[in-house]
Amino acid sequence: MAEEMSECEKYVDEKMQVMPRFLKPICAIHPTAAKLFADFYASVWDDGALSKSVKELIFTAIGVATCSPRCIVHVIPAIRAGASDGEIIEAVAVGFLAAGFYPNNPGIPYAFEYAAKTLEICEKFRKGEDWEYLERTEFRG
């Protein structure tokens, strides 16, 4: 069962439409900084000439193209902003194709795995199930 969110985490989740793992310790240590980051994020990602949904799908595609597990999480705010399954599938397809067209790229086969992981996150989120985009880092001393 999911743990209860702090006031700061609720604020971040409301502003960003996702509670990124990296901001949880910042909420605990310096909530003002976490909230300011969320405000900045919202100022860039909120509806403008492009809708929030489109911006989040662009960032999701970038995450797939660069094989960035922390960027594919942008599929969650895209869903919350109204992205359809068809839009998400097209965004991840653009992402895995883009992986084959820039220097020093991870390549389409690797990006395709991130596309599949993005769709898995999407499915779990829509079902209300816990989802994870990356195993937690284990720090060793």
Side-chain angles (χ1 to χ4, degrees), residues 60-71:
T60 300
I62 290 167
V64 170
T66 60
C67 294
S68 171
R70 288 171 175 85
C71 292

Side-chain angles (χ1 to χ4, degrees), residues 68-123:
S68 171
R70 288 171 175 85
C71 292
I72 63 174
V73 73
H74 285 268
V75 74
I76 301 301
I79 292 168
R80 287 182 167 170
S84 69
D85 288 343
E87 290 170 322
I88 293 165
I89 289 168
E90 287 186 22
V92 299
V94 167
F96 71 71
L97 287 175
F101 291 96
Y102 63 89
N104 303 314
N105 63 321
I108 292 171
Y110 297 100
F112 188 78
E113 292 176 15
Y114 281 79
K117 181 64 175 177
T118 303
L119 296 176
E120 174 190 308
I121 291 168
C122 178
E123 179 181 5

Side-chain angles (χ1 to χ4, degrees), residues 1-62:
M1 178 166 234
E3 62 188 61
E4 190 170 321
M5 296 175 91
S6 71
E7 181 271 331
C8 177
E9 291 170 342
K10 288 177 186 174
Y11 182 90
V12 169
D13 187 63
E14 180 181 312
K15 286 288 190 170
M16 297 178 67
Q17 295 297 294
V18 69
M19 180 60 229
R21 187 187 308 157
F22 80 91
L23 281 177
K24 285 186 179 200
I26 298 171
C27 274
I29 297 166
H30 195 332
T32 301
K35 290 176 181 179
L36 288 170
F37 182 88
D39 289 339
F40 168 72
Y41 178 96
S43 75
V44 174
W45 259 258
D46 282 349
D47 288 336
L50 295 173
S51 69
K52 177 176 180 55
S53 174
V54 167
K55 291 175 189 180
E56 295 290 358
L57 288 171
I58 290 169
F59 211 74
T60 300
I62 290 167

